[in-house]
Amino acid sequence: MTYAKRLHAMVLGLAVWTSIPALAAPEITGRPVEHQLNMQPPVTGIGADIYSLHNWMMLICLIIFIGVFGVMFYSVFKHRKSLGHKPATFHESTAVEIAWTVVPFLIVIGMALPATKTVVDLKDTSNADITIKATGMQWKWGYDYLKGEGEGISFLSNLSTPRSQIGEPGVANTEPRGENYLLEVDNEMVVPVGKKIRMVLTANDVIHAWTIPAFAIKQDAIPGFVRDGWFKADKIGVYRGNCVELCGKDHAFMPIVVRVVSAEDYTAWVAGEKKKMAALADDPTKVWTIDELKTKGEAVYAANCVACHQANGKGVPNAFAPLDGSQVVNGAKAHQIDVLLNGQDTPAYASAMPGWKQLSDSDIAAVITYTRNTWSNKAAENIVQPAEVLAARSK
């Protein structure tokens, strides 16, 4: 069975010499597949252009390879000394020098013209139907729908593969790994089919990169800079990618999932998301009990903080500060609120604490209250209300 799969993969791989993507991989899965030898099948027009360019340039390279080495080996074997051949005595040939200058030049021009057109198309983000901002952070993605249908929707997207499937350093996983292991998230980015989507990309800590191979889009997300790209998916489905910059300890755990749906389903999704946002909208005047805040804070901590500070609050030595016994957590709550909102660079630790302004006032109040009442922490100011966060945010 193993050899049969390998033979099947080799047959598919031979289709690299054709410009028809469907021959290379007939099944579109939106993710890497076993024994895949070629690029993922594209589902965008620009992706099909890139795929075709890739195949034709590989064909040109193969022809050059066969031609050059064929002539070389023919010359070596047919004109060897043992057959009585003697080396040529000429030193220069104007015709040969002109030929080996002009021919490569024409080949390069022939490859550059279609490639230039595709590169120009890649950079044309004008006339987008929907604009979405993606913010990379250690280690998740934040999405804000800025323009078009869905404007105002905002959410965080975290890895949803459970730790029981992943395991820990030196500890094996306790559950079998699923089909989309490390390529699944709790909140997918949703877009309509056939619409031009402009992606605006940045980061709030280190350099990340947003890529979906099936869309032929890859763009770095750099702190303090705004980069952009675009795609227009032609097929409904779920498409997966990863952060492709080495962004830190959990670089492998920040996948990207985009669900492409029909126009009607997208409209329904937008309506549902806006209802959820309205239901979850903060009331800064609400006074929470400490138990309510701790319960909510535990969920916020698990979704956003546990990767760095760990479930036991001990952090990671020389990398991420511990919260258990922390002077910041046990000190004045105003300072901890400021750290959560604006971040903090601690020289004793390699990784700076990023700001978390994208979290709601109640989320920040809850997670601070949770950390001040958990592990060995017994802070004097042990509760923070959303109104206090809102006041600090407006300073």
Side-chain angles (χ1 to χ4, degrees), residues 91-153:
H91 179 62
E92 295 178 349
S93 172
T94 302
V96 170
E97 293 201 7
I98 291 175
W100 71 33
T101 300
V102 172
V103 171
F105 176 77
L106 293 177
I107 292 172
V108 170
I109 293 299
M111 296 168 74
L113 289 177
T116 301
K117 177 184 180 301
T118 302
V119 170
V120 171
D121 290 342
L122 275 171
K123 297 297 182 182
D124 182 13
T125 60
S126 61
N127 302 315
D129 298 297
I130 297 172
T131 299
I132 302 173
K133 176 185 173 185
T135 303
M137 57 195 80
Q138 293 177 313
W139 284 273
K140 59 182 69 62
W141 292 95
Y143 295 105
D144 299 283
Y145 286 62
L146 302 181
K147 290 184 180 179
E149 187 178 6
E151 181 176 343
I153 292 174

Short mmCIF file of all heavy atoms in Angstrom, two decimals, residues 91-153:
data_model
loop_
_atom_site.label_atom_id
_atom_site.label_comp_id
_atom_site.label_asym_id
_atom_site.label_seq_id
_atom_site.Cartn_x
_atom_site.Cartn_y
_atom_site.Cartn_z
N HIS A 91 41.10 29.71 -30.11
CA HIS A 91 41.02 30.35 -28.79
C HIS A 91 39.68 31.06 -28.58
O HIS A 91 39.10 31.02 -27.51
CB HIS A 91 42.17 31.35 -28.63
CG HIS A 91 42.15 32.08 -27.31
ND1 HIS A 91 42.26 31.44 -26.10
CD2 HIS A 91 41.98 33.39 -27.02
CE1 HIS A 91 42.20 32.31 -25.11
NE2 HIS A 91 42.02 33.51 -25.65
N GLU A 92 39.16 31.70 -29.59
CA GLU A 92 37.92 32.45 -29.47
C GLU A 92 37.04 32.17 -30.68
O GLU A 92 37.53 31.88 -31.77
CB GLU A 92 38.19 33.96 -29.37
CG GLU A 92 38.94 34.37 -28.10
CD GLU A 92 39.22 35.87 -28.07
OE1 GLU A 92 39.01 36.51 -29.13
OE2 GLU A 92 39.63 36.39 -27.03
N SER A 93 35.70 32.30 -30.41
CA SER A 93 34.74 32.20 -31.51
C SER A 93 33.68 33.29 -31.30
O SER A 93 32.89 33.23 -30.35
CB SER A 93 34.08 30.83 -31.55
OG SER A 93 33.03 30.82 -32.50
N THR A 94 33.69 34.26 -32.16
CA THR A 94 32.75 35.38 -32.03
C THR A 94 31.31 34.89 -32.10
O THR A 94 30.44 35.33 -31.33
CB THR A 94 33.00 36.42 -33.14
OG1 THR A 94 34.35 36.87 -33.05
CG2 THR A 94 32.05 37.60 -32.98
N ALA A 95 31.05 33.96 -32.97
CA ALA A 95 29.68 33.45 -33.12
C ALA A 95 29.20 32.76 -31.85
O ALA A 95 28.05 32.94 -31.41
CB ALA A 95 29.62 32.47 -34.30
N VAL A 96 30.08 31.95 -31.25
CA VAL A 96 29.70 31.26 -30.02
C VAL A 96 29.45 32.25 -28.90
O VAL A 96 28.48 32.13 -28.13
CB VAL A 96 30.79 30.24 -29.63
CG1 VAL A 96 30.53 29.69 -28.23
CG2 VAL A 96 30.85 29.10 -30.63
N GLU A 97 30.31 33.24 -28.77
CA GLU A 97 30.15 34.23 -27.68
C GLU A 97 28.87 35.04 -27.86
O GLU A 97 28.19 35.36 -26.88
CB GLU A 97 31.37 35.15 -27.63
CG GLU A 97 32.64 34.42 -27.20
CD GLU A 97 33.70 35.36 -26.67
OE1 GLU A 97 33.40 36.56 -26.52
OE2 GLU A 97 34.82 34.90 -26.42
N ILE A 98 28.55 35.39 -29.10
CA ILE A 98 27.29 36.10 -29.35
C ILE A 98 26.11 35.20 -29.01
O ILE A 98 25.14 35.62 -28.36
CB ILE A 98 27.21 36.56 -30.82
CG1 ILE A 98 28.23 37.67 -31.08
CG2 ILE A 98 25.80 37.04 -31.16
CD1 ILE A 98 28.32 38.10 -32.54
N ALA A 99 26.19 33.94 -29.39
CA ALA A 99 25.09 33.01 -29.14
C ALA A 99 24.85 32.81 -27.65
O ALA A 99 23.70 32.86 -27.19
CB ALA A 99 25.38 31.67 -29.82
N TRP A 100 25.95 32.59 -26.87
CA TRP A 100 25.71 32.31 -25.44
C TRP A 100 25.41 33.58 -24.63
O TRP A 100 25.15 33.51 -23.45
CB TRP A 100 26.83 31.49 -24.84
CG TRP A 100 28.18 32.15 -24.62
CD1 TRP A 100 28.46 33.44 -24.31
CD2 TRP A 100 29.45 31.49 -24.68
NE1 TRP A 100 29.79 33.65 -24.17
CE2 TRP A 100 30.44 32.46 -24.39
CE3 TRP A 100 29.86 30.18 -24.95
CZ2 TRP A 100 31.81 32.16 -24.36
CZ3 TRP A 100 31.21 29.90 -24.91
CH2 TRP A 100 32.17 30.86 -24.64
N THR A 101 25.44 34.74 -25.30
CA THR A 101 24.98 35.97 -24.67
C THR A 101 23.52 36.26 -25.03
O THR A 101 22.69 36.59 -24.19
CB THR A 101 25.87 37.16 -25.08
OG1 THR A 101 27.22 36.91 -24.68
CG2 THR A 101 25.37 38.45 -24.42
N VAL A 102 23.21 36.14 -26.32
CA VAL A 102 21.89 36.49 -26.81
C VAL A 102 20.83 35.48 -26.37
O VAL A 102 19.73 35.87 -25.93
CB VAL A 102 21.90 36.63 -28.35
CG1 VAL A 102 20.48 36.81 -28.89
CG2 VAL A 102 22.78 37.78 -28.78
N VAL A 103 21.14 34.20 -26.47
CA VAL A 103 20.14 33.18 -26.14
C VAL A 103 19.68 33.26 -24.69
O VAL A 103 18.47 33.30 -24.41
CB VAL A 103 20.66 31.77 -26.50
CG1 VAL A 103 19.71 30.70 -25.96
CG2 VAL A 103 20.82 31.62 -28.00
N PRO A 104 20.61 33.31 -23.67
CA PRO A 104 20.14 33.47 -22.29
C PRO A 104 19.36 34.76 -22.07
O PRO A 104 18.40 34.79 -21.29
CB PRO A 104 21.44 33.47 -21.47
CG PRO A 104 22.41 32.73 -22.31
CD PRO A 104 22.07 33.09 -23.72
N PHE A 105 19.78 35.83 -22.77
CA PHE A 105 19.05 37.11 -22.64
C PHE A 105 17.61 36.95 -23.10
O PHE A 105 16.68 37.41 -22.44
CB PHE A 105 19.78 38.19 -23.45
CG PHE A 105 19.06 39.51 -23.46
CD1 PHE A 105 19.10 40.36 -22.36
CD2 PHE A 105 18.33 39.91 -24.58
CE1 PHE A 105 18.43 41.57 -22.38
CE2 PHE A 105 17.66 41.12 -24.60
CZ PHE A 105 17.71 41.96 -23.49
N LEU A 106 17.43 36.29 -24.24
CA LEU A 106 16.07 36.09 -24.75
C LEU A 106 15.25 35.19 -23.82
O LEU A 106 14.05 35.42 -23.62
CB LEU A 106 16.14 35.48 -26.16
CG LEU A 106 16.73 36.37 -27.25
CD1 LEU A 106 16.82 35.62 -28.57
CD2 LEU A 106 15.90 37.65 -27.41
N ILE A 107 15.91 34.18 -23.23
CA ILE A 107 15.21 33.30 -22.29
C ILE A 107 14.74 34.09 -21.07
O ILE A 107 13.59 33.96 -20.61
CB ILE A 107 16.11 32.13 -21.88
CG1 ILE A 107 16.36 31.19 -23.06
CG2 ILE A 107 15.49 31.35 -20.72
CD1 ILE A 107 17.38 30.12 -22.81
N VAL A 108 15.63 34.92 -20.52
CA VAL A 108 15.29 35.72 -19.35
C VAL A 108 14.15 36.69 -19.66
O VAL A 108 13.21 36.85 -18.86
CB VAL A 108 16.53 36.47 -18.82
CG1 VAL A 108 16.13 37.49 -17.75
CG2 VAL A 108 17.54 35.49 -18.26
N ILE A 109 14.22 37.34 -20.82
CA ILE A 109 13.14 38.27 -21.21
C ILE A 109 11.83 37.52 -21.35
O ILE A 109 10.76 37.97 -20.89
CB ILE A 109 13.49 39.00 -22.52
CG1 ILE A 109 14.68 39.95 -22.31
CG2 ILE A 109 12.29 39.78 -23.03
CD1 ILE A 109 14.43 41.04 -21.29
N GLY A 110 11.89 36.35 -21.97
CA GLY A 110 10.68 35.55 -22.15
C GLY A 110 10.06 35.11 -20.83
O GLY A 110 8.84 34.96 -20.72
N MET A 111 10.90 34.90 -19.81
CA MET A 111 10.38 34.53 -18.48
C MET A 111 9.94 35.76 -17.70
O MET A 111 9.01 35.71 -16.90
CB MET A 111 11.46 33.77 -17.70
CG MET A 111 11.85 32.44 -18.33
SD MET A 111 13.33 31.71 -17.60
CE MET A 111 12.70 31.15 -16.04
N ALA A 112 10.63 36.89 -17.92
CA ALA A 112 10.36 38.09 -17.11
C ALA A 112 9.05 38.77 -17.47
O ALA A 112 8.36 39.31 -16.60
CB ALA A 112 11.51 39.08 -17.25
N LEU A 113 8.67 38.75 -18.74
CA LEU A 113 7.47 39.47 -19.16
C LEU A 113 6.21 38.95 -18.48
O LEU A 113 5.46 39.73 -17.86
CB LEU A 113 7.34 39.43 -20.68
CG LEU A 113 8.37 40.28 -21.45
CD1 LEU A 113 8.19 40.09 -22.94
CD2 LEU A 113 8.24 41.75 -21.08
N PRO A 114 5.91 37.65 -18.55
CA PRO A 114 4.70 37.19 -17.84
C PRO A 114 4.83 37.29 -16.32
O PRO A 114 3.84 37.53 -15.62
CB PRO A 114 4.55 35.73 -18.29
CG PRO A 114 5.92 35.32 -18.73
CD PRO A 114 6.54 36.55 -19.31
N ALA A 115 6.05 37.10 -15.80
CA ALA A 115 6.25 37.20 -14.36
C ALA A 115 6.00 38.63 -13.87
O ALA A 115 5.39 38.84 -12.81
CB ALA A 115 7.66 36.76 -13.98
N THR A 116 6.45 39.62 -14.64
CA THR A 116 6.25 41.02 -14.26
C THR A 116 4.77 41.36 -14.21
O THR A 116 4.30 42.04 -13.28
CB THR A 116 6.97 41.95 -15.24
OG1 THR A 116 8.36 41.65 -15.24
CG2 THR A 116 6.76 43.41 -14.86
N LYS A 117 4.02 40.88 -15.20
CA LYS A 117 2.57 41.13 -15.20
C LYS A 117 1.93 40.56 -13.94
O LYS A 117 1.08 41.21 -13.30
CB LYS A 117 1.93 40.52 -16.44
CG LYS A 117 0.41 40.67 -16.49
CD LYS A 117 -0.18 39.97 -17.68
CE LYS A 117 -1.70 40.14 -17.71
NZ LYS A 117 -2.36 39.61 -16.50
N THR A 118 2.32 39.35 -13.55
CA THR A 118 1.74 38.72 -12.36
C THR A 118 2.12 39.47 -11.10
O THR A 118 1.29 39.66 -10.21
CB THR A 118 2.20 37.25 -12.28
OG1 THR A 118 1.81 36.56 -13.47
CG2 THR A 118 1.58 36.55 -11.08
N VAL A 119 3.38 39.91 -11.00
CA VAL A 119 3.82 40.67 -9.82
C VAL A 119 3.06 41.99 -9.70
O VAL A 119 2.64 42.39 -8.61
CB VAL A 119 5.34 40.93 -9.88
CG1 VAL A 119 5.76 41.91 -8.80
CG2 VAL A 119 6.10 39.62 -9.71
N VAL A 120 2.83 42.66 -10.84
CA VAL A 120 2.06 43.91 -10.82
C VAL A 120 0.63 43.65 -10.36
O VAL A 120 0.06 44.39 -9.54
CB VAL A 120 2.07 44.57 -12.21
CG1 VAL A 120 1.08 45.73 -12.26
CG2 VAL A 120 3.47 45.06 -12.55
N ASP A 121 0.03 42.55 -10.84
CA ASP A 121 -1.32 42.20 -10.41
C ASP A 121 -1.37 41.89 -8.91
O ASP A 121 -2.35 42.22 -8.23
CB ASP A 121 -1.82 40.98 -11.20
CG ASP A 121 -2.09 41.30 -12.66
OD1 ASP A 121 -2.22 42.51 -12.98
OD2 ASP A 121 -2.16 40.36 -13.48
N LEU A 122 -0.32 41.26 -8.40
CA LEU A 122 -0.26 40.93 -6.97
C LEU A 122 -0.33 42.18 -6.11
O LEU A 122 -0.86 42.15 -5.00
CB LEU A 122 1.02 40.17 -6.65
CG LEU A 122 1.04 38.66 -6.84
CD1 LEU A 122 2.46 38.13 -6.67
CD2 LEU A 122 0.12 37.98 -5.83
N LYS A 123 0.23 43.27 -6.61
CA LYS A 123 0.32 44.51 -5.81
C LYS A 123 -0.90 45.41 -5.97
O LYS A 123 -1.01 46.43 -5.28
CB LYS A 123 1.58 45.29 -6.21
CG LYS A 123 2.88 44.55 -5.93
CD LYS A 123 3.06 44.30 -4.44
CE LYS A 123 4.37 43.61 -4.13
NZ LYS A 123 4.50 43.32 -2.68
N ASP A 124 -1.80 45.07 -6.86
CA ASP A 124 -2.96 45.93 -7.12
C ASP A 124 -4.09 45.62 -6.14
O ASP A 124 -4.91 44.73 -6.36
CB ASP A 124 -3.44 45.73 -8.56
CG ASP A 124 -4.61 46.63 -8.90
OD1 ASP A 124 -4.88 47.58 -8.11
OD2 ASP A 124 -5.27 46.39 -9.94
N THR A 125 -4.14 46.36 -5.04
CA THR A 125 -5.18 46.14 -4.02
C THR A 125 -6.35 47.11 -4.16
O THR A 125 -7.17 47.22 -3.25
CB THR A 125 -4.57 46.29 -2.62
OG1 THR A 125 -4.02 47.61 -2.48
CG2 THR A 125 -3.46 45.26 -2.39
N SER A 126 -6.44 47.80 -5.29
CA SER A 126 -7.51 48.79 -5.47
C SER A 126 -8.85 48.10 -5.72
O SER A 126 -8.91 46.92 -6.08
CB SER A 126 -7.17 49.71 -6.65
OG SER A 126 -7.06 48.96 -7.85
N ASN A 127 -9.91 48.86 -5.52
CA ASN A 127 -11.28 48.41 -5.80
C ASN A 127 -11.66 47.13 -5.06
O ASN A 127 -12.32 46.25 -5.61
CB ASN A 127 -11.47 48.21 -7.31
CG ASN A 127 -11.19 49.46 -8.12
OD1 ASN A 127 -11.63 50.55 -7.75
ND2 ASN A 127 -10.45 49.32 -9.21
N ALA A 128 -11.24 47.04 -3.82
CA ALA A 128 -11.58 45.87 -3.02
C ALA A 128 -13.03 45.95 -2.56
O ALA A 128 -13.55 47.03 -2.27
CB ALA A 128 -10.66 45.77 -1.82
N ASP A 129 -13.69 44.79 -2.49
CA ASP A 129 -15.06 44.74 -1.99
C ASP A 129 -15.10 44.78 -0.45
O ASP A 129 -16.00 45.37 0.14
CB ASP A 129 -15.75 43.46 -2.48
CG ASP A 129 -15.86 43.41 -3.99
OD1 ASP A 129 -16.53 44.29 -4.55
OD2 ASP A 129 -15.26 42.52 -4.61
N ILE A 130 -14.12 44.14 0.17
CA ILE A 130 -14.05 44.07 1.63
C ILE A 130 -12.59 44.26 2.05
O ILE A 130 -11.68 43.73 1.40
CB ILE A 130 -14.57 42.71 2.16
CG1 ILE A 130 -16.04 42.54 1.81
CG2 ILE A 130 -14.35 42.58 3.67
CD1 ILE A 130 -16.59 41.15 2.11
N THR A 131 -12.36 45.05 3.10
CA THR A 131 -11.02 45.24 3.65
C THR A 131 -10.99 44.69 5.06
O THR A 131 -11.82 45.05 5.90
CB THR A 131 -10.63 46.73 3.66
OG1 THR A 131 -10.64 47.23 2.32
CG2 THR A 131 -9.24 46.92 4.26
N ILE A 132 -10.01 43.82 5.31
CA ILE A 132 -9.88 43.18 6.62
C ILE A 132 -8.46 43.42 7.14
O ILE A 132 -7.48 43.21 6.41
CB ILE A 132 -10.13 41.66 6.54
CG1 ILE A 132 -11.54 41.40 5.98
CG2 ILE A 132 -9.97 41.00 7.91
CD1 ILE A 132 -11.83 39.93 5.71
N LYS A 133 -8.37 43.86 8.37
CA LYS A 133 -7.07 44.04 9.01
C LYS A 133 -6.74 42.79 9.82
O LYS A 133 -7.53 42.33 10.63
CB LYS A 133 -7.10 45.26 9.94
CG LYS A 133 -5.81 45.47 10.74
CD LYS A 133 -5.98 46.62 11.72
CE LYS A 133 -4.79 46.76 12.64
NZ LYS A 133 -5.00 47.82 13.66
N ALA A 134 -5.55 42.23 9.59
CA ALA A 134 -5.06 41.08 10.35
C ALA A 134 -3.87 41.52 11.18
O ALA A 134 -2.91 42.08 10.63
CB ALA A 134 -4.67 39.93 9.43
N THR A 135 -3.94 41.31 12.49
CA THR A 135 -2.86 41.70 13.39
C THR A 135 -2.23 40.45 13.98
O THR A 135 -2.90 39.65 14.64
CB THR A 135 -3.40 42.60 14.52
OG1 THR A 135 -4.05 43.74 13.96
CG2 THR A 135 -2.25 43.06 15.42
N GLY A 136 -0.95 40.27 13.74
CA GLY A 136 -0.24 39.13 14.30
C GLY A 136 0.23 39.44 15.72
O GLY A 136 0.66 40.55 16.01
N MET A 137 0.13 38.47 16.57
CA MET A 137 0.57 38.63 17.96
C MET A 137 0.98 37.27 18.49
O MET A 137 0.56 36.23 17.98
CB MET A 137 -0.53 39.26 18.82
CG MET A 137 -1.85 38.50 18.82
SD MET A 137 -3.23 39.47 19.46
CE MET A 137 -3.65 40.48 18.04
N GLN A 138 1.83 37.27 19.48
CA GLN A 138 2.30 36.00 20.05
C GLN A 138 1.22 35.41 20.94
O GLN A 138 1.04 35.86 22.05
CB GLN A 138 3.59 36.24 20.83
CG GLN A 138 4.76 36.65 19.94
CD GLN A 138 6.01 36.97 20.72
OE1 GLN A 138 5.98 37.68 21.73
NE2 GLN A 138 7.14 36.46 20.27
N TRP A 139 0.53 34.29 20.52
CA TRP A 139 0.64 33.65 19.22
C TRP A 139 -0.76 33.39 18.77
O TRP A 139 -1.34 32.34 19.01
CB TRP A 139 1.45 32.37 19.33
CG TRP A 139 2.92 32.62 19.46
CD1 TRP A 139 3.80 32.80 18.43
CD2 TRP A 139 3.67 32.76 20.65
NE1 TRP A 139 5.06 33.02 18.93
CE2 TRP A 139 5.01 33.00 20.29
CE3 TRP A 139 3.33 32.70 22.02
CZ2 TRP A 139 6.00 33.19 21.23
CZ3 TRP A 139 4.32 32.90 22.95
CH2 TRP A 139 5.64 33.13 22.54
N LYS A 140 -1.31 34.36 18.08
CA LYS A 140 -2.68 34.31 17.57
C LYS A 140 -2.83 35.41 16.54
O LYS A 140 -1.93 36.24 16.34
CB LYS A 140 -3.69 34.49 18.72
CG LYS A 140 -3.54 35.81 19.46
CD LYS A 140 -4.51 35.94 20.60
CE LYS A 140 -4.21 35.00 21.72
NZ LYS A 140 -2.88 35.21 22.36
N TRP A 141 -4.01 35.45 15.90
CA TRP A 141 -4.31 36.51 14.93
C TRP A 141 -5.56 37.26 15.38
O TRP A 141 -6.50 36.66 15.89
CB TRP A 141 -4.54 35.92 13.54
CG TRP A 141 -3.31 35.35 12.93
CD1 TRP A 141 -2.92 34.04 12.97
CD2 TRP A 141 -2.30 36.05 12.22
NE1 TRP A 141 -1.72 33.89 12.31
CE2 TRP A 141 -1.31 35.11 11.84
CE3 TRP A 141 -2.12 37.39 11.86
CZ2 TRP A 141 -0.17 35.46 11.12
CZ3 TRP A 141 -0.99 37.74 11.13
CH2 TRP A 141 -0.03 36.79 10.78
N GLY A 142 -5.52 38.56 15.20
CA GLY A 142 -6.70 39.38 15.43
C GLY A 142 -7.23 39.89 14.10
O GLY A 142 -6.45 40.30 13.23
N TYR A 143 -8.55 39.85 13.92
CA TYR A 143 -9.16 40.28 12.66
C TYR A 143 -10.14 41.42 12.91
O TYR A 143 -10.98 41.34 13.82
CB TYR A 143 -9.88 39.11 11.98
CG TYR A 143 -8.93 38.01 11.54
CD1 TYR A 143 -8.84 36.81 12.25
CD2 TYR A 143 -8.11 38.19 10.44
CE1 TYR A 143 -7.97 35.81 11.86
CE2 TYR A 143 -7.23 37.20 10.04
CZ TYR A 143 -7.16 36.01 10.75
OH TYR A 143 -6.28 35.03 10.36
N ASP A 144 -10.03 42.47 12.10
CA ASP A 144 -10.95 43.61 12.15
C ASP A 144 -11.45 43.87 10.74
O ASP A 144 -10.65 44.16 9.83
CB ASP A 144 -10.25 44.85 12.69
CG ASP A 144 -9.73 44.67 14.11
OD1 ASP A 144 -10.54 44.72 15.03
OD2 ASP A 144 -8.51 44.45 14.29
N TYR A 145 -12.76 43.79 10.55
CA TYR A 145 -13.36 44.07 9.25
C TYR A 145 -13.54 45.59 9.13
O TYR A 145 -14.37 46.18 9.84
CB TYR A 145 -14.69 43.34 9.12
CG TYR A 145 -14.54 41.84 8.91
CD1 TYR A 145 -13.94 41.03 9.87
CD2 TYR A 145 -15.01 41.24 7.74
CE1 TYR A 145 -13.79 39.66 9.67
CE2 TYR A 145 -14.87 39.87 7.53
CZ TYR A 145 -14.26 39.09 8.50
OH TYR A 145 -14.11 37.74 8.31
N LEU A 146 -12.74 46.21 8.25
CA LEU A 146 -12.67 47.67 8.21
C LEU A 146 -13.65 48.30 7.22
O LEU A 146 -14.20 49.36 7.50
CB LEU A 146 -11.24 48.11 7.84
CG LEU A 146 -10.12 47.62 8.77
CD1 LEU A 146 -8.78 48.15 8.29
CD2 LEU A 146 -10.38 48.03 10.21
N LYS A 147 -13.83 47.68 6.06
CA LYS A 147 -14.70 48.27 5.03
C LYS A 147 -15.48 47.17 4.33
O LYS A 147 -15.05 46.03 4.26
CB LYS A 147 -13.87 49.04 4.00
CG LYS A 147 -13.25 50.33 4.52
CD LYS A 147 -12.53 51.08 3.40
CE LYS A 147 -11.90 52.36 3.92
NZ LYS A 147 -11.17 53.08 2.84
N GLY A 148 -16.63 47.56 3.79
CA GLY A 148 -17.46 46.61 3.08
C GLY A 148 -18.44 45.91 4.02
O GLY A 148 -18.54 46.23 5.21
N GLU A 149 -19.14 44.94 3.48
CA GLU A 149 -20.10 44.20 4.29
C GLU A 149 -19.39 43.49 5.43
O GLU A 149 -18.42 42.77 5.22
CB GLU A 149 -20.84 43.18 3.41
CG GLU A 149 -21.97 42.47 4.14
CD GLU A 149 -22.72 41.49 3.25
OE1 GLU A 149 -22.27 41.27 2.10
OE2 GLU A 149 -23.74 40.93 3.70
N GLY A 150 -19.88 43.72 6.63
CA GLY A 150 -19.23 43.15 7.81
C GLY A 150 -18.39 44.16 8.57
O GLY A 150 -17.78 43.82 9.59
N GLU A 151 -18.37 45.40 8.10
CA GLU A 151 -17.58 46.45 8.77
C GLU A 151 -17.95 46.54 10.25
O GLU A 151 -19.12 46.56 10.62
CB GLU A 151 -17.84 47.80 8.09
CG GLU A 151 -17.06 48.95 8.68
CD GLU A 151 -17.28 50.25 7.93
OE1 GLU A 151 -17.77 50.20 6.77
OE2 GLU A 151 -16.96 51.32 8.49
N GLY A 152 -16.92 46.56 11.08
CA GLY A 152 -17.12 46.65 12.53
C GLY A 152 -16.94 45.33 13.26
O GLY A 152 -16.76 45.31 14.48
N ILE A 153 -16.95 44.21 12.53
CA ILE A 153 -16.74 42.90 13.17
C ILE A 153 -15.28 42.77 13.58
O ILE A 153 -14.37 43.14 12.84
CB ILE A 153 -17.14 41.76 12.23
CG1 ILE A 153 -18.66 41.76 12.01
CG2 ILE A 153 -16.69 40.41 12.77
CD1 ILE A 153 -19.13 40.76 10.98
#
